[in-house]
Amino acid sequence: MKFIRPLCTLVLGLAVLLFFGLAYPHHLHYQEQFQLFLFDSTYVWEIVRVPGGVADLLGRFSTQFFLYAWVGALIIAVLLSAVQLLFLLSLRQVLRQAQEPSQGQAQGPWIGLSFVPSFLLWLFLLDENALMGGV
């Protein structure tokens, strides 16, 4: 039972990797050809100074690696797995604060809830016009 949660996260990451690597690699190539990332301070400052600019800059930086579909698929798989793990940790914290001390550890169907943001972001990334900064 202790290894089921990490195994589920690993299965999610592997499913995303195989999907974007095998079934949908042309999407990553399409994304890469319309993104430009320059290692120039003026370029970076123009992006960072607007609200959400740091996320946009990191998304543009990671998109440049989509030239190689498997590297792009690996980046997306790691990001979506990280989103799932971070949501699981925050969900645990909220459930721990909501419980009475006499009750046991919260388990069960709440753990499955941690996969919802990752699946929604996966659907979001299927749009050709969706940028990686959204993740």
Side-chain angles (χ1 to χ4, degrees):
M1 184 69 176
K2 186 176 183 179
F3 299 107
I4 289 179
R5 286 178 291 208
L7 184 65
C8 289
T9 302
L10 185 66
V11 167
L12 170 71
L14 188 61
V16 171
L17 177 73
L18 291 176
F19 177 77
F20 281 106
L22 292 175
Y24 215 44
H26 59 279
H27 173 71
L28 300 177
H29 294 190
Y30 178 82
Q31 284 281 323
E32 190 273 333
Q33 71 181 349
F34 287 110
Q35 292 290 317
L36 174 67
F37 184 82
L38 301 173
F39 288 100
D40 182 33
S41 61
T42 307
Y43 173 78
V44 169
W45 181 247
E46 285 293 319
I47 295 172
V48 170
R49 70 183 186 136
V50 298
V54 175
D56 188 28
L57 182 71
L58 292 173
R60 289 183 188 199
F61 177 76
S62 63
T63 303
Q64 72 179 337
F65 299 107
F66 287 7
L67 178 65
Y68 306 104
W70 285 102
V71 176
L74 181 65
I75 290 170
I76 293 173
V78 167
L79 285 175
L80 293 184
S81 296
V83 166
Q84 186 270 328
L85 286 174
L86 288 173
F87 192 74
L88 177 63
L89 291 175
S90 62
L91 184 64
R92 277 188 192 166
Q93 187 67 25
V94 168
L95 290 176
R96 188 176 298 133
Q97 290 177 357
Q99 277 184 336
E100 294 180 19
S102 62
Q103 294 177 344
Q105 178 76 8
Q107 299 290 334
W110 297 109
I111 302 304
L113 184 65
S114 68
F115 289 92
V116 172
S118 294
F119 286 125
L120 292 176
L121 285 171
W122 190 350
L123 290 175
F124 170 73
L125 289 175
L126 294 179
D127 183 13
E128 291 86 12
N129 299 316
L131 300 175
M132 285 296 296
V135 177

